Amino acid sequence: MNMNLLIIHAAALTTSRGSAARAGRDMDALEVIPDGALRIEEGTITAVGTTDEVMAAGPTDDFTIIDAAGKAVVPGFVDSHTHFIFGGYRADEFAWRLQGMSYMAIMAQGGGIASTVAATRRTDLGTLVELGRRRLDAMLGFGVTTVEGKSGYGLDRDTEIRQLEAMAILNREHPLDIVPTYLGAHAIPGEYKARGDAYMDFILETVLPEVATRRLAEFCDVFCEDHVFSVAQSRRLLSRAKALGFKLTLHADEIVALGGAELAAELGAVSADHLLQASDAGIQGLANAGVVATLLPITAFGLKEPYARGRVMIDRGCAVALATDFNPGSCFSNSIPLLMALATLHMGLTPEEALTAITLNGAAAIDRADRVGSLEVGKQGDAVILAYPSHRFMPYHLGVNIVEKVVKQGRLVFDQERGGRIDGV
Ligand code: NIG
Ligand code: FE
């Protein structure tokens, strides 16, 4: 298949250049090229610039050419925090929350994560793969070209491994790239009720070493939260995971200011996520330690919790990423337009900061900033063509998906004009 592609005459091509997270003020300073163009050969970007510059970069005989006149071109989006492999749904819980029941109260009475755990344990590998494939297709339609996915809906050995295997299969067969995370410490399963330390022993002795040996996950995550896993338990898990070669990420300070951000800084985590309640010291710790602060505003919106202090974090020098947290409970949404709207309107990010947060910094949050997250020579040819002439239309066209075409490693994989998901030009 022809893997050589030229995108030319873009009204504005926004590069998000960088090979590491952009922090503080740098998040806003984006390069926008008028009459922009991109040359992709064998899946890799080989030239970026104005159309004249890129057309002069070499012969174009065997290239497919997309004319992007009147459109903006941006890097493929990186959704760096999702739980997209699961069985069952929890629409009833959403209704209970509307009646005033809290997320943690539902969890305390055996619903919440436990309910998805029960459903996922009953779901076989083929079904998980099929469900995952459909969800990845939907993400692609929102311009997402790289996604992180977590286990954490099995808790027992077999189901956790099955979730990770489903992601490995999908990573091979679906154009979207998947970065897998082991989240066995997502909740204490019923069979270990009130025995959190014993469950942690089980993870450390049984599942974590197998996941490491079989290289089923690149990251290890923990729900560090009051009534779930304490800071001490989280430290124990993550220290061991680090020694086994995992990169670290945490669900930190989501409901209570427990000190998850501080722990992320102490352990040199790649990312700390949620952070709705992160303390001033925690925020400074993340900035100083270069831990990406991954914010998930659709979850705050859906749970009617206060938003994370995104503006403050950036002003204090943090690198902020944005992700959906797509999952069947706290956030059953993979909507990039909703994410952009909330980040700008409710967390005070500029459209440029929000774009950095969903591209380069999203990539950095899953340690992929050397490969994806920006449009520059040497990176993967992952790009999104928008139906409007500037990336600023993303938050401005409130809640509307303006993605017209998606290119993954030089292949056109989604085209609104041709009915959506396609397999190549
Ligand atoms: O990131 N907070 C913990 N985990 C998920 C929710 C999982 C669920 O409700 O099923 C989150 O919000
Ligand atoms: Fe999450």
Side-chain angles (χ1 to χ4, degrees):
M1 189 181 303
N2 182 354
M3 298 280 276
N4 294 338
L5 183 76
L6 276 164
I7 302 173
I8 58 172
H9 293 312
L13 183 142
T14 308
T15 60
S16 305
R17 266 182 219 277
S19 53
R22 284 173 180 250
R25 264 174 233 260
D26 277 352
M27 285 186 64
D28 194 49
L30 290 189
E31 172 191 44
V32 180
I33 304 173
D35 192 22
L38 192 64
R39 179 183 170 104
I40 306 171
E41 294 177 72
E42 302 298 330
T44 301
I45 298 172
T46 54
V48 186
T50 63
T51 301
D52 284 348
E53 287 163 356
V54 170
M55 290 308 273
T60 58
D61 312 336
D62 59 343
F63 278 70
T64 300
I65 297 183
I66 297 177
D67 188 326
K71 326 271 183 196
V73 175
V74 295
F77 307 136
V78 180
D79 192 348
S80 61
H81 180 138
T82 83
H83 310 245
F84 79 96
I85 298 289
F86 57 85
Y89 294 94
R90 284 153 49 196
D92 290 345
E93 272 183 29
F94 184 81
W96 299 337
R97 280 194 271 116
L98 294 177
Q99 302 299 319
M101 228 176 142
S102 76
Y103 177 79
M104 290 310 270
I106 292 170
M107 190 165 169
Q109 65 174 45
I113 294 172
S115 127
T116 300
V117 168
T120 306
R121 285 182 180 182
R122 289 193 299 267
T123 308
D124 64 27
L125 179 63
T127 308
L128 287 180
V129 169
E130 183 48 37
L131 289 166
R133 184 183 296 118
R134 275 189 250 155
R135 292 169 190 154
L136 292 176
D137 282 346
M139 291 176 195
L140 211 52
F142 280 118
V144 174
T145 48
T146 303
V147 68
E148 184 262 12
K150 302 175 193 296
S151 68
Y153 288 129
L155 309 182
D156 60 9
R157 180 244 168 230
D158 288 3
T159 317
E160 287 291 309
I161 300 279
R162 195 155 73 242
Q163 284 192 275
L164 294 170
E165 282 173 346
M167 285 190 262
I169 293 168
L170 287 164
N171 198 28
R172 285 194 293 274
E173 71 175 41
H174 196 279
L176 232 145
D177 280 324
I178 302 166
V179 175
T181 295
Y182 172 57
L183 176 56
H186 196 191
I188 301 165
E191 57 273 24
Y192 283 90
K193 198 168 168 40
R195 292 189 299 132
D197 284 329
Y199 178 58
M200 198 50 87
D201 291 342
F202 163 74
I203 290 181
L204 291 173
E205 284 159 24
T206 310
V207 194
L208 191 70
E210 180 174 349
V211 174
T213 310
R214 293 176 57 190
R215 295 179 183 277
L216 284 167
E218 187 173 327
F219 278 81
C220 182
D221 193 351
V222 54
F223 189 11
C224 178
E225 186 62 55
D226 209 13
H227 300 302
V228 193
F229 296 101
S230 67
V231 169
Q233 288 170 327
S234 303
R235 183 185 287 109
R236 183 173 167 226
L237 169 68
L238 295 176
S239 308
R240 183 78 196 117
K242 192 174 179 179
L244 287 171
F246 288 93
K247 296 163 192 168
L248 308 182
T249 180
L250 286 82
H251 282 68
D253 300 326
E254 178 180 354
I255 316 279
V256 174
L258 210 63
E262 288 86 340
L263 181 65
E266 171 194 323
L267 295 175
V270 178
S271 174
D273 300 23
H274 282 292
L275 302 171
L276 276 57
Q277 305 292 341
S279 69
D280 287 342
I283 290 173
Q284 205 51 59
L286 297 178
N288 296 347
V291 178
V292 177
T294 299
L295 308 185
L296 315 165
I298 314 180
T299 307
F301 175 63
L303 295 180
K304 297 207 260 185
E305 295 280 346
Y307 293 91
R309 295 185 286 157
R311 179 75 263 144
V312 170
M313 292 178 192
I314 295 174
D315 290 344
R316 297 199 184 153
C318 284
V320 165
L322 288 166
T324 62
D325 196 21
F326 177 61
N327 74 72
S330 65
C331 183
F332 188 44
S333 174
N334 51 12
S335 172
I336 301 298
L338 179 57
L339 177 60
M340 298 299 274
L342 297 176
T344 49
L345 289 166
H346 286 293
M347 295 197 315
L349 273 65
T350 66
E352 286 67 36
E353 288 168 340
L355 185 66
T356 301
I358 190 69
T359 55
L360 183 67
N361 285 5
I366 48 173
D367 200 28
R368 287 292 187 283
D370 58 333
R371 269 165 271 182
V372 297
S374 61
L375 299 177
E376 60 190 301
V377 172
K379 288 225 181 167
Q380 276 188 22
D382 299 355
V384 175
I385 301 176
L386 303 175
Y388 289 91
S390 158
H391 65 255
R392 289 197 159 170
F393 281 74
M394 287 183 60
Y396 161 56
H397 206 356
L398 278 177
V400 178
N401 187 16
I402 60 167
V403 169
E404 198 170 274
K405 290 181 173 50
V406 180
V407 170
K408 177 68 187 175
Q409 290 190 274
R411 264 174 60 202
L412 186 62
V413 288
F414 179 91
D415 190 353
Q416 200 63 263
E417 290 171 338
R418 288 163 60 179
R421 172 88 169 83
I422 52 173
D423 273 318
V425 272

PDB file of all heavy atoms in Angstrom, residues 221-245:
ATOM      1  N   ASP A 221      -0.197   1.552  37.455  1.00  0.00           N
ATOM      2  CA  ASP A 221      -1.053   2.633  37.956  1.00  0.00           C
ATOM      3  C   ASP A 221      -1.696   2.163  39.261  1.00  0.00           C
ATOM      4  O   ASP A 221      -1.748   0.954  39.543  1.00  0.00           O
ATOM      5  CB  ASP A 221      -2.136   2.893  36.890  1.00  0.00           C
ATOM      6  CG  ASP A 221      -2.927   4.173  37.084  1.00  0.00           C
ATOM      7  OD1 ASP A 221      -2.784   4.829  38.138  1.00  0.00           O
ATOM      8  OD2 ASP A 221      -3.699   4.522  36.170  1.00  0.00           O
ATOM      9  N   VAL A 222      -2.192   3.098  40.063  1.00  0.00           N
ATOM     10  CA  VAL A 222      -2.900   2.757  41.303  1.00  0.00           C
ATOM     11  C   VAL A 222      -3.938   3.839  41.579  1.00  0.00           C
ATOM     12  O   VAL A 222      -3.694   5.016  41.293  1.00  0.00           O
ATOM     13  CB  VAL A 222      -1.904   2.615  42.486  1.00  0.00           C
ATOM     14  CG1 VAL A 222      -1.016   3.848  42.649  1.00  0.00           C
ATOM     15  CG2 VAL A 222      -2.624   2.334  43.804  1.00  0.00           C
ATOM     16  N   PHE A 223      -5.087   3.424  42.111  1.00  0.00           N
ATOM     17  CA  PHE A 223      -6.110   4.379  42.545  1.00  0.00           C
ATOM     18  C   PHE A 223      -5.771   4.741  43.993  1.00  0.00           C
ATOM     19  O   PHE A 223      -6.175   4.052  44.929  1.00  0.00           O
ATOM     20  CB  PHE A 223      -7.499   3.738  42.422  1.00  0.00           C
ATOM     21  CG  PHE A 223      -8.662   4.689  42.624  1.00  0.00           C
ATOM     22  CD1 PHE A 223      -8.496   6.064  42.677  1.00  0.00           C
ATOM     23  CD2 PHE A 223      -9.956   4.177  42.729  1.00  0.00           C
ATOM     24  CE1 PHE A 223      -9.581   6.930  42.844  1.00  0.00           C
ATOM     25  CE2 PHE A 223     -11.054   5.025  42.900  1.00  0.00           C
ATOM     26  CZ  PHE A 223     -10.864   6.396  42.960  1.00  0.00           C
ATOM     27  N   CYS A 224      -4.958   5.783  44.140  1.00  0.00           N
ATOM     28  CA  CYS A 224      -4.497   6.226  45.459  1.00  0.00           C
ATOM     29  C   CYS A 224      -5.569   7.160  46.009  1.00  0.00           C
ATOM     30  O   CYS A 224      -5.666   8.310  45.575  1.00  0.00           O
ATOM     31  CB  CYS A 224      -3.147   6.947  45.288  1.00  0.00           C
ATOM     32  SG  CYS A 224      -2.462   7.613  46.811  1.00  0.00           S
ATOM     33  N   GLU A 225      -6.396   6.641  46.900  1.00  0.00           N
ATOM     34  CA  GLU A 225      -7.585   7.407  47.319  1.00  0.00           C
ATOM     35  C   GLU A 225      -8.046   6.919  48.686  1.00  0.00           C
ATOM     36  O   GLU A 225      -7.865   5.746  49.031  1.00  0.00           O
ATOM     37  CB  GLU A 225      -8.693   7.184  46.271  1.00  0.00           C
ATOM     38  CG  GLU A 225      -9.951   7.998  46.456  1.00  0.00           C
ATOM     39  CD  GLU A 225      -9.704   9.494  46.377  1.00  0.00           C
ATOM     40  OE1 GLU A 225      -9.145   9.970  45.374  1.00  0.00           O
ATOM     41  OE2 GLU A 225     -10.055  10.189  47.349  1.00  0.00           O
ATOM     42  N   ASP A 226      -8.639   7.830  49.439  1.00  0.00           N
ATOM     43  CA  ASP A 226      -9.246   7.479  50.712  1.00  0.00           C
ATOM     44  C   ASP A 226     -10.204   6.295  50.509  1.00  0.00           C
ATOM     45  O   ASP A 226     -10.973   6.285  49.546  1.00  0.00           O
ATOM     46  CB  ASP A 226     -10.049   8.710  51.184  1.00  0.00           C
ATOM     47  CG  ASP A 226     -10.141   8.779  52.689  1.00  0.00           C
ATOM     48  OD1 ASP A 226      -9.403   8.053  53.367  1.00  0.00           O
ATOM     49  OD2 ASP A 226     -10.956   9.576  53.179  1.00  0.00           O
ATOM     50  N   HIS A 227     -10.152   5.302  51.360  1.00  0.00           N
ATOM     51  CA  HIS A 227     -11.008   4.107  51.277  1.00  0.00           C
ATOM     52  C   HIS A 227     -10.687   3.205  50.091  1.00  0.00           C
ATOM     53  O   HIS A 227     -11.431   2.279  49.805  1.00  0.00           O
ATOM     54  CB  HIS A 227     -12.498   4.464  51.244  1.00  0.00           C
ATOM     55  CG  HIS A 227     -12.954   5.214  52.452  1.00  0.00           C
ATOM     56  ND1 HIS A 227     -12.825   4.713  53.725  1.00  0.00           N
ATOM     57  CD2 HIS A 227     -13.500   6.441  52.580  1.00  0.00           C
ATOM     58  CE1 HIS A 227     -13.280   5.602  54.590  1.00  0.00           C
ATOM     59  NE2 HIS A 227     -13.694   6.666  53.924  1.00  0.00           N
ATOM     60  N   VAL A 228      -9.598   3.490  49.364  1.00  0.00           N
ATOM     61  CA  VAL A 228      -9.187   2.568  48.289  1.00  0.00           C
ATOM     62  C   VAL A 228      -7.751   2.147  48.630  1.00  0.00           C
ATOM     63  O   VAL A 228      -7.571   1.276  49.482  1.00  0.00           O
ATOM     64  CB  VAL A 228      -9.319   3.190  46.879  1.00  0.00           C
ATOM     65  CG1 VAL A 228      -9.188   2.088  45.810  1.00  0.00           C
ATOM     66  CG2 VAL A 228     -10.680   3.887  46.707  1.00  0.00           C
ATOM     67  N   PHE A 229      -6.726   2.762  48.046  1.00  0.00           N
ATOM     68  CA  PHE A 229      -5.352   2.441  48.426  1.00  0.00           C
ATOM     69  C   PHE A 229      -4.683   3.667  49.031  1.00  0.00           C
ATOM     70  O   PHE A 229      -4.706   4.755  48.437  1.00  0.00           O
ATOM     71  CB  PHE A 229      -4.554   1.897  47.227  1.00  0.00           C
ATOM     72  CG  PHE A 229      -5.105   0.589  46.735  1.00  0.00           C
ATOM     73  CD1 PHE A 229      -5.913   0.536  45.610  1.00  0.00           C
ATOM     74  CD2 PHE A 229      -4.857  -0.589  47.434  1.00  0.00           C
ATOM     75  CE1 PHE A 229      -6.467  -0.662  45.188  1.00  0.00           C
ATOM     76  CE2 PHE A 229      -5.398  -1.793  47.023  1.00  0.00           C
ATOM     77  CZ  PHE A 229      -6.211  -1.833  45.896  1.00  0.00           C
ATOM     78  N   SER A 230      -4.093   3.478  50.189  1.00  0.00           N
ATOM     79  CA  SER A 230      -3.443   4.580  50.909  1.00  0.00           C
ATOM     80  C   SER A 230      -2.150   4.980  50.199  1.00  0.00           C
ATOM     81  O   SER A 230      -1.660   4.262  49.316  1.00  0.00           O
ATOM     82  CB  SER A 230      -3.112   4.132  52.339  1.00  0.00           C
ATOM     83  OG  SER A 230      -2.112   3.122  52.279  1.00  0.00           O
ATOM     84  N   VAL A 231      -1.591   6.090  50.652  1.00  0.00           N
ATOM     85  CA  VAL A 231      -0.304   6.523  50.099  1.00  0.00           C
ATOM     86  C   VAL A 231       0.759   5.458  50.380  1.00  0.00           C
ATOM     87  O   VAL A 231       1.572   5.130  49.512  1.00  0.00           O
ATOM     88  CB  VAL A 231       0.100   7.901  50.678  1.00  0.00           C
ATOM     89  CG1 VAL A 231       1.542   8.239  50.321  1.00  0.00           C
ATOM     90  CG2 VAL A 231      -0.842   8.983  50.164  1.00  0.00           C
ATOM     91  N   ALA A 232       0.733   4.882  51.580  1.00  0.00           N
ATOM     92  CA  ALA A 232       1.740   3.864  51.928  1.00  0.00           C
ATOM     93  C   ALA A 232       1.597   2.630  51.036  1.00  0.00           C
ATOM     94  O   ALA A 232       2.598   2.097  50.530  1.00  0.00           O
ATOM     95  CB  ALA A 232       1.602   3.477  53.400  1.00  0.00           C
ATOM     96  N   GLN A 233       0.362   2.182  50.827  1.00  0.00           N
ATOM     97  CA  GLN A 233       0.157   1.017  49.953  1.00  0.00           C
ATOM     98  C   GLN A 233       0.559   1.336  48.512  1.00  0.00           C
ATOM     99  O   GLN A 233       1.163   0.510  47.819  1.00  0.00           O
ATOM    100  CB  GLN A 233      -1.315   0.572  49.996  1.00  0.00           C
ATOM    101  CG  GLN A 233      -1.702  -0.090  51.312  1.00  0.00           C
ATOM    102  CD  GLN A 233      -3.208  -0.301  51.430  1.00  0.00           C
ATOM    103  OE1 GLN A 233      -3.993   0.501  50.930  1.00  0.00           O
ATOM    104  NE2 GLN A 233      -3.605  -1.373  52.101  1.00  0.00           N
ATOM    105  N   SER A 234       0.220   2.548  48.080  1.00  0.00           N
ATOM    106  CA  SER A 234       0.565   2.952  46.711  1.00  0.00           C
ATOM    107  C   SER A 234       2.077   3.008  46.540  1.00  0.00           C
ATOM    108  O   SER A 234       2.623   2.572  45.517  1.00  0.00           O
ATOM    109  CB  SER A 234      -0.040   4.324  46.383  1.00  0.00           C
ATOM    110  OG  SER A 234      -1.441   4.300  46.551  1.00  0.00           O
ATOM    111  N   ARG A 235       2.753   3.539  47.571  1.00  0.00           N
ATOM    112  CA  ARG A 235       4.223   3.626  47.505  1.00  0.00           C
ATOM    113  C   ARG A 235       4.836   2.232  47.399  1.00  0.00           C
ATOM    114  O   ARG A 235       5.752   1.985  46.611  1.00  0.00           O
ATOM    115  CB  ARG A 235       4.767   4.353  48.724  1.00  0.00           C
ATOM    116  CG  ARG A 235       6.293   4.539  48.670  1.00  0.00           C
ATOM    117  CD  ARG A 235       6.861   5.165  49.930  1.00  0.00           C
ATOM    118  NE  ARG A 235       6.566   6.577  50.054  1.00  0.00           N
ATOM    119  CZ  ARG A 235       5.726   7.122  50.931  1.00  0.00           C
ATOM    120  NH1 ARG A 235       5.074   6.336  51.789  1.00  0.00           N
ATOM    121  NH2 ARG A 235       5.517   8.408  50.978  1.00  0.00           N
ATOM    122  N   ARG A 236       4.282   1.315  48.179  1.00  0.00           N
ATOM    123  CA  ARG A 236       4.804  -0.058  48.182  1.00  0.00           C
ATOM    124  C   ARG A 236       4.662  -0.675  46.784  1.00  0.00           C
ATOM    125  O   ARG A 236       5.613  -1.257  46.246  1.00  0.00           O
ATOM    126  CB  ARG A 236       4.009  -0.867  49.217  1.00  0.00           C
ATOM    127  CG  ARG A 236       4.478  -2.279  49.382  1.00  0.00           C
ATOM    128  CD  ARG A 236       3.758  -2.982  50.532  1.00  0.00           C
ATOM    129  NE  ARG A 236       4.007  -4.403  50.445  1.00  0.00           N
ATOM    130  CZ  ARG A 236       3.078  -5.349  50.576  1.00  0.00           C
ATOM    131  NH1 ARG A 236       1.819  -5.022  50.847  1.00  0.00           N
ATOM    132  NH2 ARG A 236       3.393  -6.619  50.471  1.00  0.00           N
ATOM    133  N   LEU A 237       3.487  -0.536  46.212  1.00  0.00           N
ATOM    134  CA  LEU A 237       3.254  -1.103  44.873  1.00  0.00           C
ATOM    135  C   LEU A 237       4.153  -0.451  43.831  1.00  0.00           C
ATOM    136  O   LEU A 237       4.830  -1.133  43.052  1.00  0.00           O
ATOM    137  CB  LEU A 237       1.779  -0.900  44.478  1.00  0.00           C
ATOM    138  CG  LEU A 237       1.457  -1.197  43.011  1.00  0.00           C
ATOM    139  CD1 LEU A 237       1.586  -2.687  42.714  1.00  0.00           C
ATOM    140  CD2 LEU A 237       0.060  -0.717  42.641  1.00  0.00           C
ATOM    141  N   LEU A 238       4.144   0.865  43.817  1.00  0.00           N
ATOM    142  CA  LEU A 238       4.845   1.563  42.724  1.00  0.00           C
ATOM    143  C   LEU A 238       6.362   1.398  42.828  1.00  0.00           C
ATOM    144  O   LEU A 238       7.060   1.336  41.811  1.00  0.00           O
ATOM    145  CB  LEU A 238       4.445   3.038  42.694  1.00  0.00           C
ATOM    146  CG  LEU A 238       2.963   3.296  42.353  1.00  0.00           C
ATOM    147  CD1 LEU A 238       2.639   4.783  42.433  1.00  0.00           C
ATOM    148  CD2 LEU A 238       2.585   2.747  40.974  1.00  0.00           C
ATOM    149  N   SER A 239       6.868   1.319  44.051  1.00  0.00           N
ATOM    150  CA  SER A 239       8.321   1.114  44.193  1.00  0.00           C
ATOM    151  C   SER A 239       8.728  -0.227  43.608  1.00  0.00           C
ATOM    152  O   SER A 239       9.735  -0.355  42.909  1.00  0.00           O
ATOM    153  CB  SER A 239       8.743   1.162  45.665  1.00  0.00           C
ATOM    154  OG  SER A 239       8.275   2.322  46.261  1.00  0.00           O
ATOM    155  N   ARG A 240       7.911  -1.225  43.913  1.00  0.00           N
ATOM    156  CA  ARG A 240       8.195  -2.569  43.371  1.00  0.00           C
ATOM    157  C   ARG A 240       8.063  -2.567  41.845  1.00  0.00           C
ATOM    158  O   ARG A 240       8.882  -3.144  41.129  1.00  0.00           O
ATOM    159  CB  ARG A 240       7.208  -3.575  43.994  1.00  0.00           C
ATOM    160  CG  ARG A 240       7.429  -5.000  43.577  1.00  0.00           C
ATOM    161  CD  ARG A 240       8.608  -5.639  44.314  1.00  0.00           C
ATOM    162  NE  ARG A 240       9.031  -6.851  43.632  1.00  0.00           N
ATOM    163  CZ  ARG A 240      10.233  -7.022  43.083  1.00  0.00           C
ATOM    164  NH1 ARG A 240      11.149  -6.078  43.154  1.00  0.00           N
ATOM    165  NH2 ARG A 240      10.538  -8.150  42.484  1.00  0.00           N
ATOM    166  N   ALA A 241       7.011  -1.910  41.369  1.00  0.00           N
ATOM    167  CA  ALA A 241       6.779  -1.851  39.919  1.00  0.00           C
ATOM    168  C   ALA A 241       7.964  -1.184  39.225  1.00  0.00           C
ATOM    169  O   ALA A 241       8.441  -1.642  38.181  1.00  0.00           O
ATOM    170  CB  ALA A 241       5.488  -1.101  39.620  1.00  0.00           C
ATOM    171  N   LYS A 242       8.442  -0.123  39.832  1.00  0.00           N
ATOM    172  CA  LYS A 242       9.577   0.595  39.248  1.00  0.00           C
ATOM    173  C   LYS A 242      10.791  -0.324  39.161  1.00  0.00           C
ATOM    174  O   LYS A 242      11.486  -0.375  38.143  1.00  0.00           O
ATOM    175  CB  LYS A 242       9.882   1.822  40.104  1.00  0.00           C
ATOM    176  CG  LYS A 242      10.837   2.803  39.486  1.00  0.00           C
ATOM    177  CD  LYS A 242      10.937   4.050  40.360  1.00  0.00           C
ATOM    178  CE  LYS A 242      11.903   5.059  39.778  1.00  0.00           C
ATOM    179  NZ  LYS A 242      11.985   6.270  40.593  1.00  0.00           N
ATOM    180  N   ALA A 243      11.012  -1.073  40.231  1.00  0.00           N
ATOM    181  CA  ALA A 243      12.153  -1.996  40.245  1.00  0.00           C
ATOM    182  C   ALA A 243      12.014  -3.067  39.164  1.00  0.00           C
ATOM    183  O   ALA A 243      13.013  -3.571  38.643  1.00  0.00           O
ATOM    184  CB  ALA A 243      12.270  -2.639  41.625  1.00  0.00           C
ATOM    185  N   LEU A 244      10.766  -3.403  38.818  1.00  0.00           N
ATOM    186  CA  LEU A 244      10.542  -4.418  37.775  1.00  0.00           C
ATOM    187  C   LEU A 244      10.581  -3.821  36.371  1.00  0.00           C
ATOM    188  O   LEU A 244      10.379  -4.525  35.377  1.00  0.00           O
ATOM    189  CB  LEU A 244       9.185  -5.106  37.995  1.00  0.00           C
ATOM    190  CG  LEU A 244       9.102  -6.086  39.162  1.00  0.00           C
ATOM    191  CD1 LEU A 244       7.654  -6.515  39.410  1.00  0.00           C
ATOM    192  CD2 LEU A 244       9.976  -7.317  38.918  1.00  0.00           C
ATOM    193  N   GLY A 245      10.763  -2.509  36.279  1.00  0.00           N
ATOM    194  CA  GLY A 245      10.904  -1.885  34.965  1.00  0.00           C
ATOM    195  C   GLY A 245       9.672  -1.172  34.445  1.00  0.00           C
ATOM    196  O   GLY A 245       9.665  -0.686  33.315  1.00  0.00           O
TER     197      GLY A 245
END
